[in-house]
Amino acid sequence: MTDRPPRRNHAGEPRLPAAIAVVVAIAMYAALPEGLHLGPRIAVPVLEVVLFLPLVAANPRRMTRENRWLRNLSIALVLLIAATNAASLVLLVDALVSGQAKQGPRLLLAAGQVWLTNVIVFALAYWELDRGGPVTRSRQPRPRLPVADFRFPQDEDHDAITEVAARSAARSGWTPGFIDYLYVSVTNSSAFSPTDTMPLSPRAKMLMAVESVSALMLSVLVISRGVSLLQ
């Protein structure tokens, strides 16, 4: 019995999962309480939408088109979401430390919004950076792919039992999609460490470290704030 030749997803990765994540991140920022925004409440969401619409127009259904302009625009959108959420995190930490008791429930809800946005923004960062980004991962032959930033279980399951090996990258041509990076981000923000997917490059390790530290700091402050409210 011979191994099946690897298949490549030439159709391109679906746009919808990442698009939903971006919309949720924009909505979470717009819904934050007063005092946790940079400038007017609507300014940053409008700017994010302006950056996001050309990306959707270029690849409305699947990630098949890419050039330097689209690549830079996509990374700029991720950086903008990350920077504004980091600013909201700093403002939230200050409010949690110095806020009055009556602000407690509102701030705890805001902490959940900031945490969720943090998960999304790091998932988007991993998705954009690993192996050249979503278009390159699904469209380029494996020998031409940039070096990997993450090692997934599917990358090394080719010598497992038949039903497991069938899903491996070597046997099926599998490449990670946005849901895979979202899972990495969720587990890193909740376990504060890698689980089944390992960072390989220095930039991946630094991103995961920053995400873990910010999630841990937010969790500690929320727990301490919740205890003080109960008292």
Side-chain angles (χ1 to χ4, degrees), residues 126-138:
Y126 304 152
W127 180 67
E128 286 287 357
L129 295 177
D130 188 30
R131 312 177 200 206
V135 176
T136 300
R137 278 194 303 271
S138 62

Side-chain angles (χ1 to χ4, degrees), residues 6 18 42 64 83-84 86 89 100-102 111 138 161 169 175 186 207 222:
I42 201 65
T64 58
T84 53
L89 175 59
Q100 299 177 0
K102 64 180 181 179
S138 62
I161 58 176
T175 52
V186 169
L207 283 172
V222 167

Side-chain angles (χ1 to χ4, degrees), residues 11-12 15 35 46 58 97 106 113 123 125 131 147 157 171-172 175 181 185-186 189 192 211 224:
R15 156 65 77 181
V46 167
V97 172
R106 178 177 64 89
Q113 294 171 246
R131 312 177 200 206
V147 294
D157 285 345
R171 299 285 183 89
S172 68
T175 52
Y181 296 103
S185 186
V186 169
S189 284
F192 312 122
E211 182 181 16
S224 62

Side-chain angles (χ1 to χ4, degrees), residues 29 37-45:
Y29 182 84
H37 302 92
L38 289 177
R41 176 187 294 272
I42 201 65
V44 170

Side-chain angles (χ1 to χ4, degrees), residues 28-39:
M28 287 293 98
Y29 182 84
L32 284 172
E34 291 293 339
L36 300 183
H37 302 92
L38 289 177

Side-chain angles (χ1 to χ4, degrees), residues 22-23 26 43-55 77 80:
V22 171
V23 171
I26 294 173
V44 170
V46 167
L47 179 56
E48 290 170 345
V49 169
V50 169
L51 295 177
F52 183 51
L53 288 179
L55 298 173
L77 176 60
L80 177 60

Side-chain angles (χ1 to χ4, degrees), residues 34 40 53 88 96 121 127 139 160 170 177 184 186 190:
E34 291 293 339
L53 288 179
S88 296
L96 285 171
V121 75
W127 180 67
R139 306 283 285 181
V184 172
V186 169
S190 53

